[in-house]
Amino acid sequence: MDQLNNYADSRLIRGCIYCGGPAETRDHVPSKCLLEAPYPTNLPVVGCCSTCNQGFSIDEEYFACLIESARCGSTDPTKIIRPSVARKMEKSSALRKRIEDSRTIADGISGFVPEMERVQNVMFKLARGHAAFELSLICGDTPDHFWCGTLSSLPPENHDIFNSVHFQEVLGEVGSRNQQRLMVIQMPIHSQNGEMHNVGMLINDWVDVQDNNYRYIAIDDMGVVIIRIVIAEFFACEVVWGILEDETQS
Ligand SMILES: [Zn+2]
């Protein structure tokens, strides 16, 4: 990944970005359990206390195994695509059994009932991490909007909105990594009298952490913070702080 330095006010992001305690360690966002070795260089890291760091790891492990089981339709390690998850399922029979026990069949389609509290815990943590790293924002409050599900469960029109780049209206935190990533493009626009004008637009694009395994987009615009995450091109989530005028889901 590109190594971007944070030039935003350093007072904005201090200590553990999850609880405000001391930053005793560094936390990868996303966690390595959502990626495969060899890991991308310059993975995003945020300050984190030891308690938060350890507190998340069990849920993250469960989440990685659940998503992969759902994607592959099985908890059988020989049918799991991601090598690190297959090894984890091989080693941890208790975790494998826990996920297998949540199997359900609805309308002839097999799936797994997620432990939503744990899934939400991981999603909020990832979203807070991306907001801190990319936008130089601490999002400590409970999000105002949360949606997660499979990418394929989004209706086609929402699928396109979810996956598209964001046209930035207002610049976020000066010097943040996100602001350094914004691209300016010139777009020809027809005015009412038929003349063509070139209008500069700021494009906020998705960040590909690892091909086919993890991508995200972090948006800070018009008083709303939106984090969208896609895992294994299978599972998607959206976490929002502030009120969306035109929600793409729900
Ligand atoms: Zn903490």
Side-chain angles (χ1 to χ4, degrees), residues 1-195:
M1 292 182 68
D2 292 341
Q3 179 156 40
L4 296 178
N5 292 316
N6 179 32
Y7 295 110
D9 190 333
S10 60
R11 288 169 298 182
L12 296 170
I13 302 293
R14 283 198 300 198
C16 172
I17 65 130
Y18 305 113
C19 74
E24 297 155 327
T25 179
R26 298 194 309 165
D27 187 40
H28 288 100
V29 192
S31 334
K32 285 185 173 172
C33 70
L34 295 171
L35 306 171
E36 287 298 323
Y39 300 114
T41 52
N42 304 318
L43 271 180
V45 286
V46 292
C48 182
C49 72
S50 307
T51 310
C52 284
N53 197 286
Q54 285 155 19
F56 288 123
S57 63
I58 294 176
D59 284 351
E60 284 174 327
E61 205 165 77
Y62 159 79
F63 175 75
C65 291
L66 171 76
I67 296 303
E68 193 63 3
S69 299
R71 178 165 79 117
C72 303
S74 175
T75 57
D76 180 347
T78 64
K79 297 196 170 123
I80 296 285
I81 298 169
R82 284 189 49 207
S84 65
V85 176
R87 284 195 298 276
K88 175 61 63 186
M89 298 287 264
E90 185 84 59
K91 262 203 270 181
S92 176
S93 52
L95 179 56
R96 184 181 166 190
K97 181 177 183 307
R98 187 163 177 149
I99 294 172
E100 187 56 47
D101 287 349
S102 70
R103 187 187 281 279
T104 176
I105 294 178
D107 301 329
I109 298 169
S110 169
F112 299 91
V113 179
E115 295 176 37
M116 267 322 284
E117 205 174 309
R118 303 180 82 185
V119 170
Q120 192 170 297
N121 188 30
V122 174
M123 292 294 96
F124 287 6
K125 180 244 177 182
L126 290 169
R128 287 193 170 104
H130 293 316
F133 185 83
E134 285 293 326
L135 307 173
S136 296
L137 291 176
I138 296 284
C139 295
D141 296 338
T142 303
D144 297 291
H145 168 88
F146 171 60
W147 171 85
C148 71
T150 58
L151 256 188
S152 61
S153 70
L154 281 168
E157 62 276 18
N158 287 359
H159 190 276
D160 290 346
I161 295 170
F162 185 91
N163 279 302
S164 66
V165 299
H166 174 73
F167 291 93
Q168 197 80 23
E169 303 258 354
V170 176
L171 285 176
E173 194 57 44
V174 173
S176 68
R177 293 183 177 88
N178 177 249
Q179 206 178 76
Q180 296 170 56
R181 284 190 211 278
L182 295 178
M183 286 180 296
V184 181
I185 60 158
Q186 295 291 324
M187 225 177 201
I189 303 276
H190 276 283
S191 64
Q192 280 182 337
N193 61 13
E195 286 178 12

